[in-house]
């Protein structure tokens, strides 16, 4: 292969380093892959590589503002999920449990991968979240 593989730890430290230089609004969505190479002193790098962490990808791309929005979304989603579970009926509990598990798995996987920019994974996430919250107005 033309490019050497970058360990996650290097990608993560580089993302944090870049985010310190652009703390408020970040460097723009999906730009990490374009700027990590020069930051590491590389003459050539793989522009398909992301931070390998959804949360760091948002922090470096959208800064503290975007990261705060993400945290708000996660907290709001968790609170809504707790209300769904508390008010679940026998007819809805199985789907709520399954979609809760899917959303938790996706959020956990975000710690070791930045995948929401890939169509196949963000569609799965959107379907899981949509199925999950379809009960919100029925309870």
């Amino acid at each position: 292969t033309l490019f050497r593989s970058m360990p996650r730890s290097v990608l993560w430290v580089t993302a944090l380093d870049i985010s310190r230089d652009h703390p408020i609004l970040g460097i723009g969505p999906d730009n990490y892959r374009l700027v990590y190479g020069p930051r590491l002193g590389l003459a050539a790098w793989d522009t398909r590589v992301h931070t390998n962490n959804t949360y760091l990808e948002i922090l470096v791309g959208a800064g503290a503002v975007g990261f705060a929005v993400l945290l708000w979304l996660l907290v709001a989603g968790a609170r809504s999920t707790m209300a769904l579970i508390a008010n679940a009926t026998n007819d809805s509990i199985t789907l709520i449990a399954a979609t809760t598990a899917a959303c938790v798995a996706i959020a956990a996987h975000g710690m070791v991968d930045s995948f929401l920019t890939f169509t196949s994974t963000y569609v799965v996430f959107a379907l899981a979240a949509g199925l999950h919250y379809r009960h919100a107005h029925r309870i």
Side-chain angles (χ1 to χ4, degrees):
T1 127
L2 178 63
F3 304 106
R4 67 183 177 122
S5 177
M6 282 289 158
R8 278 188 174 93
S9 59
V10 170
L11 296 171
W12 292 352
V13 168
T14 305
L16 289 171
D17 186 43
I18 294 169
S19 69
R20 277 188 218 98
D21 290 345
H22 304 274
I24 306 300
L25 297 176
I27 60 172
D30 200 29
N31 281 329
Y32 174 82
R33 65 189 183 85
L34 304 175
V35 301
Y36 83 93
R39 180 61 67 118
L40 292 172
L42 302 175
W45 65 96
D46 189 348
T47 59
R48 297 169 298 173
V49 171
H50 292 82
T51 62
N52 280 310
N53 182 306
T54 296
Y55 307 99
L56 287 177
E57 190 75 30
I58 289 173
L59 178 65
V60 74
V65 172
F67 195 74
V69 171
L70 173 64
L71 289 178
W72 171 84
L73 183 62
L74 291 172
V75 168
R79 291 180 70 199
S80 180
T81 296
M82 297 307 288
L84 281 174
I85 292 169
N87 296 306
T89 64
N90 286 338
D91 293 337
S92 66
I93 192 63
T94 302
L95 182 60
I96 291 170
T99 57
T100 297
C103 289
V104 168
I106 291 165
H109 184 71
M111 295 296 292
V112 294
D113 197 3
S114 177
F115 56 84
L116 291 178
T117 56
F118 302 106
T119 303
S120 58
T121 52
Y122 73 70
V123 167
V124 169
F125 173 70
L127 288 171
L131 285 170
H132 186 65
Y133 291 109
R134 79 180 190 93
H135 291 286
H137 298 290
R138 293 182 177 187
I139 294 177

